[in-house]
Amino acid sequence: MSHDSAADRRAAIAVLIMRFTLGIFLLLWSVGKLVVPGATLRIAAHFYGIALPEAAPAFMGSAELALSVALLLGFAQRPVYGLAILLHATSTLASWRQLLDPFGIARPGDDLFLAGVPVLGALIALYLLRGFDIYSLDGWLRLRRT
């Protein structure tokens, strides 16, 4: 961090806000897989061309839930933030048709898919700014080691 402690605190608070809101975003998607597993099966078939087994949403939702909690806590930042980017980039890129036609000329209502792009940007920014993420479990563990 820089020598300007006020700027460092503001950056740390900004990263905390970004991490918390992104964690909630991912948490809601993981809970959705557990609560409405049929939707996960339909999404996999439609966007990825994959017929998932019936048990897949529970497994995927549980794994994503663990990732979401780790993201919310700021634990294992490098791998967790990286996995969150990979997970969200995959789902964002899978909706490339909707991203190319956001105003629904071919399919009305696809403009909501655009929201995935700034979320992906925020996840990448969080990864790049993880050194400022001091109000986190990793930040607390770093402080205890010094």
Side-chain angles (χ1 to χ4, degrees), residues 11 70 73 103 128:
L73 295 173
F103 303 111
L128 294 173

Side-chain angles (χ1 to χ4, degrees), residues 2-130:
S2 69
H3 296 295
D4 184 352
S5 62
D8 287 348
R9 277 194 302 279
R10 286 191 304 274
I13 291 168
V15 170
L16 170 65
I17 292 166
M18 193 171 12
R19 176 172 44 84
F20 187 75
T21 56
L22 290 168
I24 293 296
F25 175 84
L26 190 59
L27 182 74
L28 291 173
W29 282 106
S30 53
V31 169
K33 288 175 178 62
L34 298 169
V35 174
V36 191
T40 302
L41 298 173
R42 287 189 301 278
I43 289 168
H46 179 74
F47 287 99
Y48 303 100
I50 300 170
L52 293 175
E54 293 282 325
F59 173 76
M60 293 167 60
S62 298
E64 196 172 299
L65 184 64
L67 182 68
S68 303
V69 170
L71 180 65
L72 277 166
L73 295 173
F75 176 70
Q77 293 170 347
R78 184 181 299 261
V80 166
Y81 298 2
L83 281 171
I85 291 168
L86 183 63
L87 179 71
H88 189 65
T90 301
S91 67
T92 301
L93 293 174
S95 64
W96 66 271
R97 286 180 185 86
Q98 289 76 9
L99 294 174
L100 292 178
D101 184 22
F103 303 111
I105 295 168
R107 291 168 305 278
D110 285 348
D111 57 328
L112 289 177
F113 285 92
L114 285 175
V117 176
V119 171
L120 181 58
L123 283 165
I124 293 167
L126 178 64
Y127 182 85
L128 294 173
L129 296 170
R130 69 189 179 281

